[in-house]
Amino acid sequence: MTPQPGSAGDVLTLISAGSATTRSDLARLTGLARSTISQRVDALIERGLVEEIESGESTGGRPPRQLRLHTEEHAFAGVDLGATHCRVALMDISGRVLAACEDPVLVGEGPEKVLAHVDQRLDRLLAEAGRARPMLRAIGIGVPGPVEFATGRPNNPPIMPGWNDYPVPEYFGDEVSVLVDNDVNVMALGEHRHSFAGASHLLFVKVGTGIGCGIVADGKLHRGAQGSAGDIGHIRVSGHEDAGCRCGNSACLEAVAGGAAIARRLTELGLPAETGADVVALVQSGNTQALRLVREAGRLIGEVLAGLVNFFNPEVIVIGGALSRVHEHLLAGIRETVYRRSLPLATHHLSITPSRTGIDAAALGAGLLAIEHYLSPDNINRIINA
């Protein structure tokens, strides 16, 4: 259902965005009668979504009362599930982090065990923040694999055995909304909202064991028809036909430029490495072979990104993931190829930069995904009309 202009949901959107801070602002922006605005605002206040406070400023007469989100009675959680870790951030309705934690967790142990750990951590963080469990309105979860976003079910995630088609939202019951998305999508959302809110078109490229891309188009996450948009790790790169990929094809970008691929090549050169973290350690120690392979990987990633720049014309490309910790070498290779292979008009104002949110990107983005869902006009109108 599309909300009518000036609905309670639309009014809350204007307040939460900071576009309107008084009832007069709302009347001016929506064109609605003051009596109608008062009805909308009073309903939001009654539901504990908005509060109205004295501004303390006056130009003569009674000072105007200011509207803002009511932050004390709501909580939201952002969960970042990786192959070997779990990060949880508890936020208020404005996106401010109230409490957070990180634990070593093996996602391969299956959904029941991992989600039980998440549930326990949520109880602990809520208690730490002084919030009761019923105040938890929505949970966002980022997972390291493809997800059918509409249902929240992972779809054949290669490093998540036992998770295929598992109904993650149902684990938490009907009392809280649960949204599940691919981790690189929530990273893109977190990075955009926290660091590049002014950019309408952004690509977030995660370079870790594998390679993926989150797409922000016109300020919104773009997932594609089935939720698999941005899976650039399986785009073919020329000259590497002998590189087999876990997807069953060969010459995929991930199979030649991902952290696992670089680690494998270093091992073949007599430098034992198993993961992207091992590659990072070798680069940071000044190993010339590791430096060479990381820069070469950057060029290959840049070859794929150059095509995306010509096609999508982003304002910003953000590089995150494990290998971004040696971004000066990785980005040198990426920039070298992108600026050489892309059209001048597409790169004239293009910025290619390391992630600013770092390891917090996914948890922050997942929490914002939950908040934005809860504050959407459709959902607010359902709450008001319930």
Side-chain angles (χ1 to χ4, degrees), residues 52-383:
E52 195 168 25
I53 60 171
E54 296 288 351
S55 69
E57 299 178 5
S58 175
T59 57
R62 185 178 179 181
R65 294 172 64 81
Q66 302 290 306
L67 298 167
R68 67 181 186 186
L69 291 175
H70 186 65
T71 60
E72 284 73 26
E73 296 181 4
H74 309 272
F76 300 83
V79 181
D80 167 24
L81 291 180
T84 59
H85 74 264
C86 171
R87 296 187 186 94
V88 183
L90 188 72
M91 304 178 182
D92 67 18
I93 200 169
S94 71
R96 181 172 64 94
V97 175
L98 303 172
C101 67
E102 178 178 349
D103 301 304
V105 171
L106 297 177
V107 74
E109 291 185 338
E112 296 288 342
K113 187 170 183 177
V114 172
L115 295 177
H117 176 87
V118 170
D119 208 32
Q120 292 170 3
R121 280 292 178 261
L122 287 173
D123 282 337
R124 180 178 297 182
L125 292 176
L126 285 163
E128 183 180 328
R131 299 289 206 271
R133 182 73 185 224
M135 293 181 182
L136 184 63
R137 310 298 184 184
I139 304 169
I141 304 177
V143 300
V147 176
E148 186 180 58
F149 181 71
T151 64
R153 293 171 180 252
N155 185 261
N156 290 313
I159 62 171
M160 300 175 68
W163 289 77
N164 182 48
D165 206 35
Y166 184 86
V168 176
E170 294 177 18
Y171 179 89
F172 296 92
D174 298 328
E175 299 303 314
V176 60
S177 297
V178 179
L179 298 95
V180 187
D181 207 343
N182 178 264
D183 58 358
V184 74
N185 282 343
V186 295
M187 287 177 176
L189 186 66
E191 192 75 32
H192 180 264
R193 300 298 193 260
H194 274 265
S195 304
F196 298 98
S200 295
H201 298 82
L202 173 146
L203 298 177
F204 184 98
V205 182
K206 177 189 175 186
V207 187
T209 299
I211 299 174
C213 179
I215 304 166
V216 174
D218 198 22
K220 301 175 182 177
L221 271 178
H222 174 73
R223 298 183 178 89
Q226 305 300 331
S228 64
D231 201 353
I232 66 171
H234 300 288
I235 293 177
R236 186 179 180 86
V237 291
S238 58
H240 296 273
E241 285 68 23
D242 59 338
C245 182
R246 58 185 171 85
C247 72
N249 292 317
S250 61
C252 292
L253 178 64
E254 180 178 297
V256 294
I262 299 173
R264 186 167 55 250
R265 291 181 65 186
L266 286 169
T267 300
E268 291 169 356
L269 293 171
L271 297 165
E274 295 183 3
T275 65
D278 296 332
V279 175
V280 169
L282 285 167
V283 171
Q284 291 175 337
S285 71
N287 184 275
T288 56
Q289 296 280 33
L291 286 167
R292 177 180 63 82
L293 291 179
V294 165
R295 184 168 290 229
E296 180 182 315
R299 294 190 189 99
L300 292 168
I301 295 168
E303 183 179 321
V304 169
L305 290 179
L308 298 182
V309 167
N310 287 334
F311 177 79
F312 181 62
N313 189 202
E315 297 155 76
V316 183
I317 297 177
V318 181
I319 308 299
L323 290 189
S324 69
R325 283 180 283 170
V326 288
H327 59 79
E328 63 272 22
H329 306 288
L330 185 67
L331 264 67
I334 292 173
R335 288 172 176 146
E336 174 187 333
T337 308
V338 168
Y339 288 116
R340 175 169 51 85
R341 297 286 299 275
S342 301
L343 296 172
L345 180 60
T347 58
H348 186 59
H349 295 293
L350 176 64
S351 173
I352 303 175
T353 182
S355 170
R356 296 178 184 174
T357 53
I359 63 172
D360 298 321
L364 291 174
L368 291 169
L369 181 70
I371 293 170
E372 291 183 6
H373 163 76
Y374 186 78
L375 292 179
S376 67
D378 278 353
N379 191 56
I380 293 302
N381 291 335
R382 279 193 291 269
I383 293 172

Side-chain angles (χ1 to χ4, degrees), residues 13-27:
T13 295
L14 291 170
I15 295 171
S16 63
S19 302
T21 58
T22 67
R23 297 184 186 225
S24 296
D25 289 342
L26 290 168

